[in-house]
Structure formats: C-alpha cells, structure tokens
Amino acid sequence: MERVDRRGKYLLAVLDDDRALVVHLGMTGQLRLRPDQLDPHVRAWWALDDGHVLELRDVRRFGRVGVVPLGDYASLPTLAAQGPEPWDPVLDDGGLWRRLRPSRVRVKTQLLSQRPLAGVGNIYADEALWRAGVHPARRQVTRGQADRLLDELRAVLQQGIDNGGTTLRDYRAPDGEPGRNQVALVCYGRGGEPCLRCGAPLRRVLVDGRGTTLCPSCQPSR
Ligand SMILES: [Zn+2]
C-alpha cells in the first residue's frame, strides 16, 4: 500500500501494482489497526508491511470492498459517476447550479446521488439545505439558491471535519474516538423541535424515500 486517497465517501488505497483497494464504509464500517481482542464483526483484514494488521469492522454490513485497476472504476458505477469534490473550483461561479439545472430530480436526491458533487450524505444535505433556505424536494433551484447551497455545503462539511465527524451511534475515527459534530447539528434529527431561525416546529418528511428534516417556513416549497 503506497498511499490512501479519497473520492467522495470512497477510500482509495493505492497498491504497489497499479491497482487500488476501494473501501466504502457504508453505515457502520470502521477501518482500524487490529486491537488485542478478537471481534466477531471484522469482515476483512490486511497484513501490512510494517507488521500491523488493518481490519474492517462492520456491524451492519453495508460496507463495500473491491480491488480495481488504478483509475478504472467502471465496476463501481457510483464511484465512476462521482461529481467534483466539494472544494473543486469548477463548482464556483454558478458551477453547482449548472450541474443541478439539467435534471428535474429533487435537489436533495440529486445531492445524495453524488453526481452534482461528491461526498454529501443525508445529515450534511439536511443541514446545508436548511442553512441555505432551500426546500429539499425542489426540482429546480435558482442560481442564487445554488450558490448559497454550495457555500453552506462547504461550511457544514468543514464543520464536520473540524469536529472529527458526526457520531449518532456507530461512527468512530480510526483511533476509536467518536466524533463531536452531532452536538453542532441545527436541523437533522430535530423534527418537532423549534427551528433555530424562526421558531416554527421542524417537520420530518420523506423525500424520495429518505427521512428528511426541514423548516416549512424557512424552506418554502415554491
Ligand atoms: Zn425556520
């Protein structure tokens, strides 16, 4: 293993034979160096050159592991179709808007598809849409809304990184520590509680089948 890269929510361990080990942690996956005690939830492990053992622990088994030729992700369609990284300048100056505009798919569903940009999951989508005042079920957004949404996506992702991730139940950093971002969430998981901006009760709805929290007053549907 030469280095570890990342694209969206995929980890790419570059091997010394022009292949890449691709790992998606899914809901509950965790990569860690093997501790002393055995664990029944370890699904895969790799002996490293330095004598350590790297293991994938995954209670609910939504994680995915594959080995592909470096840069050839045809066998992993979601990875192959990933949009740019959130801080890619191609998204600036209306770039996100131009990527969202051709589709009539609801804006949150587009974000979760990873196609407009990579790396946004359910928590960060709800947070950014609330902060930007954009209704998650909209099928078209204005240029101004898309610009604001990009700013807020970058802000909530940066905050999550700074806080070491969001641990609602399972997420652990490689050192075993839980993240601290869960206490910083302003919308996700607060259905029924007052909106921190206007005081109206936040509502929990389904958007294309995904649980979604929104403020009906700050995020008008039209
Ligand atoms: Zn509100």
Side-chain angles (χ1 to χ4, degrees):
M1 194 178 295
E2 306 214 310
R3 66 177 192 277
V4 179
D5 294 338
R6 180 195 56 74
R7 273 290 282 134
K9 297 195 254 180
Y10 290 84
L11 297 170
L12 306 170
V14 178
L15 307 179
D16 58 12
D17 60 358
D18 286 329
R19 295 186 302 165
L21 169 68
V22 181
V23 178
H24 191 298
L25 296 173
M27 296 283 288
T28 59
Q30 178 194 7
L31 283 175
R32 62 181 187 183
L33 296 178
R34 173 167 288 178
D36 291 335
Q37 71 275 31
L38 288 174
D39 185 316
H41 300 298
V42 170
R43 310 299 178 189
W45 58 270
W46 300 269
L48 304 182
D49 290 341
D50 66 0
H52 285 106
V53 174
L54 180 69
E55 64 181 23
L56 173 66
R57 179 178 189 272
D58 189 4
V59 174
R60 294 182 65 185
R61 292 198 263 195
F62 288 112
R64 289 290 175 267
V65 175
V67 177
V68 299
L70 188 58
D72 177 4
Y73 307 127
S75 61
L76 300 162
T78 308
L79 174 57
Q82 299 266 298
E85 291 291 316
W87 282 274
D88 191 321
V90 76
L91 294 169
D92 295 338
D93 301 322
L96 178 60
W97 177 64
R98 285 189 292 276
R99 296 182 67 83
L100 291 168
R101 189 170 55 157
S103 171
R104 300 287 293 176
V105 172
R106 300 180 192 282
V107 60
K108 179 176 176 182
T109 307
Q110 284 208 62
L111 293 175
L112 296 183
S113 78
Q114 312 298 304
R115 287 170 179 264
L117 78 174
V120 178
N122 204 33
I123 297 172
Y124 296 99
D126 278 9
E127 291 288 294
L129 287 161
W130 179 86
R131 290 169 56 141
V134 175
H135 195 288
R138 274 184 180 274
R139 294 184 185 275
Q140 291 279 275
V141 296
T142 65
R143 161 87 189 254
Q145 287 173 323
D147 288 351
R148 179 112 189 264
L149 181 57
L150 178 63
D151 288 345
E152 299 297 353
L153 284 165
R154 286 170 169 169
V156 297
L157 289 168
Q158 188 61 56
Q159 176 190 274
I161 292 166
D162 292 345
N163 284 332
T166 302
T167 298
L168 298 174
R169 204 178 61 187
D170 300 292
Y171 173 73
R172 295 291 182 277
D175 60 6
E177 290 295 311
R180 301 176 307 279
N181 197 55
Q182 54 281 5
V183 300
L185 301 179
V186 291
C187 178
Y188 179 91
R190 296 189 61 248
E193 296 177 38
C195 172
L196 295 181
R197 191 187 288 121
C198 76
L202 296 178
R203 189 176 292 164
R204 192 162 188 284
V205 300
L206 289 177
V207 174
D208 292 332
R210 294 299 302 269
T212 299
T213 307
L214 59 85
C215 174
S217 150
C218 295
Q219 294 166 270
S221 58
R222 57 181 65 244

